[in-house]
Amino acid sequence: MVSYYFMAGMYIVLGAIHFSHPKFYLPIMPQFLPAPMVLIYASGAAEIALGLGLLFSETKHFALWGIIAMLISFFLVHVNMLFPRNRLGFPLWALWIRVLLQFGLIYWAYAYL
């Protein structure tokens, strides 16, 4: 159960970072998406809300499915960074690990359903 509460805390903290350091996320946002700052704040709010939702039995199931849906939507950002002009200086192998890690995060949430 420790990993479950770690997951909740992780999403709350990572969501808060979207508000405290939004410009950190700006370069990784795909250029074709509109209003990148709005999307950064919205994804941060979603991470916080879903992380908090994990802490209550009444919202746990919804929060887990929400996390899975959110992580699937984040594939857009991760796959976009695989293109040479979007790598921001990161090595390709690290970006592929990031994509694979996304599958692990989805499985982690799914395991608690």
Side-chain angles (χ1 to χ4, degrees):
M1 212 53 185
V2 171
S3 74
Y4 179 81
Y5 291 108
F6 179 80
M7 180 186 347
M10 178 187 74
Y11 285 112
I12 293 166
V13 169
L14 291 174
I17 293 171
H18 281 71
F19 291 94
S20 64
H21 297 84
K23 291 186 179 174
F24 170 80
Y25 295 96
L26 201 52
I28 67 172
M29 291 297 288
Q31 303 239 338
F32 57 85
L33 292 177
M37 288 303 286
V38 172
L39 294 173
I40 289 168
Y41 288 127
S43 61
E47 288 187 48
I48 293 169
L50 293 169
L52 289 171
L54 293 175
L55 301 177
F56 303 96
S57 59
E58 299 84 9
T59 55
K60 172 187 172 183
H61 189 78
F62 171 78
L64 288 166
W65 279 114
I67 287 169
I68 291 168
M70 178 183 66
L71 292 171
I72 290 170
S73 73
F74 288 173
F75 271 116
L76 179 66
V77 173
H78 300 314
V79 170
N80 183 63
M81 287 188 73
L82 294 174
F83 292 98
R85 63 186 165 99
N86 300 333
R87 290 191 190 145
L88 302 173
F90 291 102
L92 185 58
W93 64 266
L95 296 172
W96 274 108
I97 288 174
R98 187 173 174 223
V99 169
L100 296 174
L101 177 63
Q102 202 74 358
F103 286 105
L105 292 172
I106 291 169
Y107 176 77
W108 188 18
Y110 184 79
Y112 285 106
L113 285 171

